[in-house]
Amino acid sequence: MMKNNAPKIKKPLDPNEVRTQPVSLADAETVKLYEERMIADKERIKTGEVVIDKHTESETARVSMPIEKEHIVIERVPMNGETVATDNVDAFHDDDTVRMEIYEDTPDIRKEVFVHEEVTIGKEVNQETINAEENLRREELDVDTQGNPAIDNRSNRAENRPI
């Protein structure tokens, strides 16, 4: 590898050119500028409670229904005594017994349980947007100069604020 031994050409000093030299950090002072920012956060709090229970109410119910009851009717018809019984020569026997069954309706009233309503219990979440407004404070740098010092306003921020 060859070395470039060409002499370095120095530019003449321009008296209007400003030359800067870094200052050591020991000579620098720092001022912190503070600002307030709105922080939007939320907290879930209990605002109430609903207790859903059920109870039993009683009422007297009445029902009407027709029922039938049979009864025996014995009807006697007197004869005028002049009629001769010719159809039955042997009329006096013990086997002339008549049996008749008697029926009646007996009510069968009972209770049965039916579902009369079904209730579904749940929650709905409604979302809404709230607007908040606050006055925010921010410190700005105030530079008070005496005389005509040269000030280089450098900033590492994307937005340069005037001093």
Side-chain angles (χ1 to χ4, degrees):
M1 193 185 255
M2 280 179 53
K3 277 188 165 181
N4 187 0
N5 290 335
K8 291 187 180 180
I9 300 174
K10 289 189 177 183
K11 271 184 9 180
L13 290 177
D14 183 2
N16 294 327
E17 181 180 334
V18 177
R19 292 178 46 197
T20 60
Q21 289 183 339
V23 178
S24 72
L25 289 179
D27 293 340
E29 291 188 32
T30 303
V31 175
K32 293 182 181 180
L33 301 177
Y34 295 97
E35 71 178 3
E36 293 177 330
R37 295 181 185 168
M38 285 186 69
I39 306 297
D41 200 3
K42 59 185 175 180
E43 179 182 341
R44 190 168 189 85
I45 61 170
K46 181 178 177 179
T47 58
E49 177 178 57
V50 174
V51 177
I52 299 172
D53 200 358
K54 61 182 185 174
H55 68 279
T56 302
E57 292 185 1
S58 296
E59 65 181 40
T60 302
R62 291 178 178 30
V63 64
S64 297
M65 62 184 289
I67 58 170
E68 294 180 352
K69 292 183 179 184
E70 296 177 342
H71 59 277
I72 300 296
V73 176
I74 299 174
E75 191 175 322
R76 294 181 180 208
V77 179
M79 297 291 178
N80 58 5
E82 297 176 7
T83 307
V84 177
T86 58
D87 55 345
N88 193 353
V89 180
D90 197 13
F92 297 101
H93 290 299
D94 288 336
D95 54 340
D96 279 344
T97 304
V98 176
R99 293 192 183 272
M100 188 174 283
E101 295 178 347
I102 302 172
Y103 293 95
E104 72 176 36
D105 294 336
T106 57
D108 179 16
I109 310 290
R110 66 185 182 284
K111 298 186 285 186
E112 291 184 9
V113 178
F114 295 91
V115 176
H116 77 93
E117 185 177 10
E118 187 173 85
V119 178
T120 302
I121 301 163
K123 294 192 291 187
E124 286 183 346
V125 177
N126 297 329
Q127 188 173 15
E128 62 184 48
T129 301
I130 58 126
N131 295 315
E133 190 174 295
E134 284 286 335
N135 288 326
L136 301 178
R137 299 178 299 169
R138 178 180 61 231
E139 295 179 331
E140 292 291 337
L141 190 62
D142 294 329
V143 178
D144 186 16
T145 61
Q146 295 178 0
N148 275 337
I151 298 175
D152 186 2
N153 185 17
R154 296 181 186 171
S155 177
N156 291 334
R157 295 176 56 172
E159 96 185 44
N160 285 330
R161 290 196 178 113
I163 34 179

